[in-house]
Amino acid sequence: MTVLMAGCGDLGTEAGLRFAAAGHRVVGWRRSPEKLPAEIEGVAADLTSAELPAVPADTSAVVIAVAADSSTEAAYRAAYVDGLGNVLDALKRDAVRPRRVLFVSSTAVCGDAGGGWVDEDATPAPDGFSGRIILEAEELLRGHFEGTDTDTVVLRLGGIYGPGRTRLIDQVGSGSAVIPAEVRFTNRIHRDDAAAAIVHLCTMEATPHPVYLGVDSHPADMGEVLRFLAEELGLPCPPTASREPEGSAGQPSRGGNKRCSNKRLRGTGFEFSFPTYREGYRAILEGKGVRHP
């Protein structure tokens, strides 16, 4: 089939390569298409512009994987709401009706659960502008295809880590890491598993659920992760904060405090290459994989 990757950064490129390896034609929209590997047909496109390229007439699947240029409310709206809306308008303009459209969302829409468990049936309760705007985009997608034959899939990813995404490793290595004063659960997914999940949900025969949580199988306390990394690096354990820092205006602490369940995703037959942060971070420390430009 023909797959349109609307947004082809690191994650989109990895997913595109996996689609191509499975024998599919992949068209990648991004501002700098010359950076894409040969397996992906790069097309210059700025998703924040209403003037998008022609959509291939035989497009069967569309993956919308955008990212904000900065951590401002305006940047999030431009990327997620305006960008998604422009892609939907292009599909309508060109009268292309894909079999399946997948939107890469975030567990930020779930909000904070005080360390409790969250699944796809929980009512979204974002408490920062990023989660609220991404949730608005989810609703835009569902509304656009309601009553049609197109399956819409929202994949809410946890914190992506992987090759070149070494923020925690760098903090531990530089000695700037600090263990939170209170237990705070975090949810993450390796870049490769996130890309594999995108391909799986777009190609599986069964009709997908409208929402999946894309997280690994072990929501982990941040302190546990930092202590693990220090041990792997042969460094002293980071110090523990005396108290929790104040959150920035309008935005809660990164990711909130919740444990996201991946039971629904695993129920589709999807298998993780990195079921916990331990396997994933060890692969990074061993130099496995590359981040796509």
Side-chain angles (χ1 to χ4, degrees):
M1 66 181 182
T2 295
V3 181
L4 172 61
M5 302 295 303
C8 222
D10 178 46
L11 175 61
T13 298
E14 181 64 28
L17 288 171
R18 289 167 182 260
F19 277 118
H24 304 295
R25 176 194 178 198
V26 183
V27 177
W29 283 359
R30 66 176 285 172
R31 291 172 182 164
S32 50
E34 69 279 358
K35 295 181 179 179
L36 292 173
E39 295 91 334
I40 299 174
E41 299 176 28
V43 178
D46 180 354
L47 299 186
T48 64
S49 168
E51 302 298 324
L52 290 177
V55 179
D58 61 344
T59 298
S60 298
V62 178
V63 176
I64 303 164
V66 297
D69 290 337
S70 67
S71 57
T72 65
E73 187 166 353
Y76 268 80
R77 180 163 295 280
Y80 288 95
V81 177
D82 299 342
L84 171 63
N86 290 333
V87 174
L88 298 179
D89 288 345
L91 291 170
K92 183 176 181 181
R93 176 199 67 200
D94 297 340
V96 176
R97 298 182 179 179
R99 170 174 171 262
R100 197 163 291 172
V101 177
L102 184 146
F103 173 65
V104 177
S105 179
S106 167
T107 55
V109 306
C110 302
D112 191 287
W117 283 93
V118 171
D119 62 16
E120 293 85 354
D121 294 326
T123 300
D127 45 11
F129 68 74
S130 60
R132 289 194 295 269
I133 289 172
I134 296 172
L135 180 60
E136 183 181 340
E138 289 186 8
E139 294 166 348
L140 175 64
L141 176 69
R142 278 192 286 269
H144 183 87
F145 288 107
E146 188 173 7
T148 73
D149 293 333
T150 297
D151 296 329
T152 60
V153 184
V154 168
L155 178 60
R156 294 173 178 165
L157 295 179
I160 303 173
Y161 72 107
R165 299 173 184 259
T166 57
R167 181 179 58 88
L168 290 185
I169 294 173
D170 295 341
Q171 288 180 356
V172 173
S174 67
S176 63
V178 177
I179 295 174
E182 300 176 2
V183 171
R184 179 165 64 83
F185 288 100
T186 59
N187 303 270
R188 55 182 52 78
I189 185 168
H190 191 283
R191 192 270 321 263
D192 290 0
D193 280 332
I198 289 171
V199 176
H200 176 76
L201 293 174
C202 283
T203 58
M204 69 181 190
E205 288 299 321
T207 300
H209 283 276
V211 179
Y212 291 89
L213 293 180
V215 296
D216 70 20
S217 299
H218 182 59
D221 168 39
M222 179 59 80
E224 174 188 334
V225 178
L226 293 175
R227 284 188 286 268
F228 167 82
L229 289 175
E231 183 175 349
E232 291 293 306
L233 293 167
L235 296 173
C237 180
T240 300
S242 58
R243 62 184 180 85
E244 289 298 307
E246 295 290 334
S248 58
Q251 283 290 84
S253 61
R254 179 186 292 263
N257 183 17
K258 56 183 175 285
R259 285 177 280 180
C260 294
S261 169
N262 65 11
K263 183 178 179 179
R264 177 177 289 182
L265 179 58
R266 287 187 292 107
T268 66
F270 181 76
E271 296 182 0
F272 285 81
S273 295
F274 305 98
T276 80
Y277 70 87
R278 297 182 186 90
E279 296 88 355
Y281 277 118
R282 281 178 178 144
I284 297 171
L285 292 172
E286 291 169 5
K288 296 178 178 178
V290 294
R291 183 166 184 169
H292 305 293

